[in-house]
Amino acid sequence: QEPEAMNRKSLIEAIFKCLDSEGRKVLTPDAIRIFAEETGFEGNDEEWQEQYHAMSEFFGWQLGDSESGITLSQFAELVDNDEDTTESELRQVLEKLLGERRR
């Protein structure tokens, strides 16, 4: 399905699948950072660690080792919590991620 025809839920699911490149059904902090940077995060590694820990506390995510991550429902909650993230912006993120996968 083309991004232009997708609703918000479908866009979130498609972005999750792109970011979950290994098909593990969870997004690692590094994968979440890719999405965060596409939607405005501009910090360095240390600032990302602080941001990720703050998000983990806010959403009640378990902070495990680097193999752990967030599920699709947790990712959807993260995206939907940011009222500034529009469907148009989600389409742009998806199109960019799909373009990078095709290279």
Side-chain angles (χ1 to χ4, degrees):
Q1 189 176 2
E2 288 299 311
E4 300 84 44
M6 293 178 156
N7 64 21
R8 187 176 182 87
K9 183 175 185 279
S10 297
L11 288 164
I12 291 169
E13 289 171 1
I15 291 168
F16 183 91
K17 284 180 185 165
C18 284
L19 293 172
D20 180 25
S21 57
E22 296 174 16
R24 293 179 41 241
K25 308 264 190 267
V26 294
L27 297 184
T28 63
D30 288 343
I32 299 164
R33 182 175 180 174
I34 292 168
F35 177 78
E37 288 175 344
E38 291 300 328
T39 55
F41 178 77
E42 297 179 341
N44 61 27
D45 289 349
E46 186 177 321
E47 290 166 324
W48 171 246
Q49 287 298 325
E50 290 173 17
Q51 178 70 31
Y52 183 76
H53 281 277
M55 289 188 305
S56 297
E57 280 190 26
F58 181 82
F59 290 105
W61 302 337
Q62 296 300 311
L63 286 175
D65 57 31
S66 61
E67 293 301 305
S68 65
I70 65 169
T71 62
L72 172 58
S73 63
Q74 290 170 314
F75 180 66
E77 183 181 22
L78 168 68
V79 175
D80 285 337
N81 184 66
D82 185 355
E83 295 170 3
D84 294 335
T85 305
T86 64
E87 284 184 26
S88 175
E89 186 173 18
L90 291 174
R91 278 188 193 91
Q92 290 174 354
V93 171
L94 179 57
E95 287 168 357
K96 183 164 189 223
L97 291 172
L98 289 171
E100 289 173 0
R101 285 176 72 183
R102 289 185 188 122
R103 276 193 232 147

